[in-house]
Amino acid sequence: MMSTKYRIPFEGQVMSVSGSVSPDLLEVVDAHNHLWIEALKDGSPNSPTLMEYEQILAELREYRQAGGKTIVDCQPGGCGRNGMKLLQLSQESDVIVIASTGFHRRIYYPSSWWLWEAGSEQIARYFIDEVLQGLEETRRLPKPVKAGLIKCACESALRDTPQKVLEAAALAAAELGVCVEVHTEKGADAEAILNFFIRNGVRPNQVVLCHMDKVPDFVLHRNLAQAGAILEYDTFYRPKYSPDTHVWPLIEKMVTNGFDQSVAIATDMAEAAMWKHIRRGPGLIGLLTVIRSHLEEMRVGITSIQNMMGRNIANRLAGIA
Ligand SMILES: [Zn+2]
């Protein structure tokens, strides 16, 4: 393994599907989303698909026109990611897209996916190569699409998460210094997850813990923020998680207690039902029309809004603490 620990390969820059960009250019960022999920031949019946190219493109253009600038795509390889589609969607819409390597929950993969049977060094090498050389499916392009972050997925209990794959993600993240976005099952075991990464050489300020607003416990959020993690919130469109009594008051509390640099806002629209042009959901544009408008009404302050809606995740992707 290389010895450039804690030095991000695209130091100070963010790696988008079209190449490196300054974090200042990312502006409004959806910190966790899914723009394309391909149906696989022997794919899992659990995996949603998003393959309505024209509708997705129309929605991206609408997002861009409303002031959205960047989207972090959290679909790793092997469960429906298609780096070529991400590149094409980004180029045609002028939305900056950041692609992921890493792994999702096992239920989303074909049973034959090699990762589950491999050793952690081999898996780490695969993640590192996707960051340094490009996503596997794009290596034949003249300019392969590189991953800008490592996405991981933990089960409700950390011990039930495939250990070698998780170790590999930590190895790769420690080696490269890149951002790691970690799916939590409704916030479960978040402190244990953060500690796992820290024990394995990852800096807490590389870590983004996802879906944390599903457990809107301020003390937990404060502790994780103080430890250096960014907390990603995305239940705004999900009535079953009671956003009015959970995520919105939580944001207010985080901001008034000075943690506006520890929150990243996202929409996580893996399901077609959430897309406006596919199924009349709130859509990508909801980040601006629903979420930003609500934040403005809350009077949390423009700087806090900018931090939570882009600057925090942009800096983390660029390796800026
Ligand atoms: Zn997701």
Side-chain angles (χ1 to χ4, degrees):
M1 292 252 168
M2 290 158 294
S3 58
T4 49
K5 258 191 180 169
Y6 306 144
R7 289 197 66 221
I8 193 164
F10 33 94
E11 203 171 6
Q13 300 278 298
V14 174
M15 185 53 69
S16 78
V17 294
S18 306
S20 63
V21 288
S22 161
D24 295 336
L25 296 178
L26 269 53
E27 297 175 11
V28 172
V29 186
D30 190 332
H32 177 139
N33 213 333
H34 302 264
L35 297 182
W36 188 265
I37 306 174
E38 204 141 293
L40 303 173
K41 268 191 281 325
D42 53 348
S44 158
N46 298 305
S47 196
T49 59
L50 281 173
M51 301 172 67
E52 294 82 351
Y53 189 87
E54 289 309 321
Q55 288 98 318
I56 293 168
L57 177 59
E59 208 152 313
L60 278 163
R61 285 177 168 154
E62 198 178 79
Y63 173 75
R64 182 72 184 82
Q65 210 155 32
K69 191 83 182 285
T70 304
I71 295 180
V72 180
D73 185 272
C74 284
Q75 195 73 19
C79 58
R81 184 191 68 197
N82 183 334
M84 265 90 70
K85 295 287 184 198
L86 295 178
L87 178 62
Q88 199 183 342
L89 285 166
S90 174
Q91 286 173 339
E92 289 197 55
S93 65
D94 195 31
V95 171
I96 298 170
V97 175
I98 322 292
S100 299
T101 186
F103 69 100
H104 207 334
R105 297 183 66 207
R106 193 169 179 164
I107 57 163
Y108 297 127
Y109 289 84
S111 54
S112 58
W113 184 232
W114 67 272
L115 231 65
W116 315 118
E117 308 304 327
S120 52
E121 286 277 330
Q122 186 193 356
I123 305 166
R125 177 46 59 193
Y126 159 71
F127 294 155
I128 290 168
D129 286 348
E130 288 217 310
V131 172
L132 298 180
Q133 320 293 337
L135 309 180
E136 241 177 11
E137 69 273 21
T138 70
R139 298 253 174 94
R140 277 162 306 184
L141 296 177
K143 192 181 168 207
V145 171
K146 292 179 180 173
L149 75 154
I150 300 172
K151 150 77 182 274
C152 305
C154 289
E155 302 297 328
S156 307
L158 181 61
R159 64 172 180 278
D160 295 333
T161 306
Q163 293 297 303
K164 282 182 184 152
V165 190
L166 190 62
E167 276 166 31
L171 271 173
E175 175 99 8
L176 296 170
V178 296
C179 173
V180 192
E181 281 207 24
V182 191
H183 166 97
T184 67
E185 275 295 292
K186 304 185 176 74
D189 255 357
E191 285 172 308
I193 292 167
L194 180 60
N195 288 332
F196 173 88
F197 280 101
I198 294 171
R199 266 203 319 281
N200 284 279
V202 179
R203 288 171 298 154
N205 56 19
Q206 287 174 255
V207 179
V208 178
L209 297 166
C210 298
H211 321 311
M212 289 306 297
D213 50 331
K214 291 177 181 172
V215 48
D217 168 355
F218 171 70
V219 174
L220 172 68
H221 286 239
R222 183 196 61 197
N223 291 344
L224 292 166
Q226 282 173 337
I230 280 184
L231 311 168
E232 179 265 290
Y233 298 169
D234 54 40
T235 61
F236 308 96
Y237 307 160
R238 293 174 165 85
K240 71 171 175 172
Y241 295 109
S242 314
D244 288 338
T245 52
H246 289 163
V247 68
W248 292 116
L250 176 65
I251 287 180
E252 193 153 28
K253 215 158 179 191
M254 291 297 278
V255 172
T256 49
N257 283 277
F259 295 111
D260 66 316
Q261 293 186 55
S262 305
V263 173
I265 287 175
T267 62
D268 191 18
M269 306 196 329
E271 272 137 43
M274 297 189 71
W275 288 72
K276 186 175 152 209
H277 288 251
I278 304 175
R279 298 265 189 84
R280 300 186 178 199
L284 291 179
I285 199 176
L287 185 75
L288 300 139
T289 56
V290 180
I291 301 174
R292 189 166 71 183
S293 304
H294 196 130
L295 288 170
E296 284 164 358
E297 282 162 27
M298 282 164 62
R299 301 180 187 281
V300 294
I302 185 68
T303 306
S304 296
I305 293 175
Q306 286 170 346
N307 286 342
M308 297 188 291
M309 293 198 63
R311 194 172 294 143
N312 297 339
I313 190 73
N315 285 343
R316 195 135 293 201
L317 289 164
I320 299 168

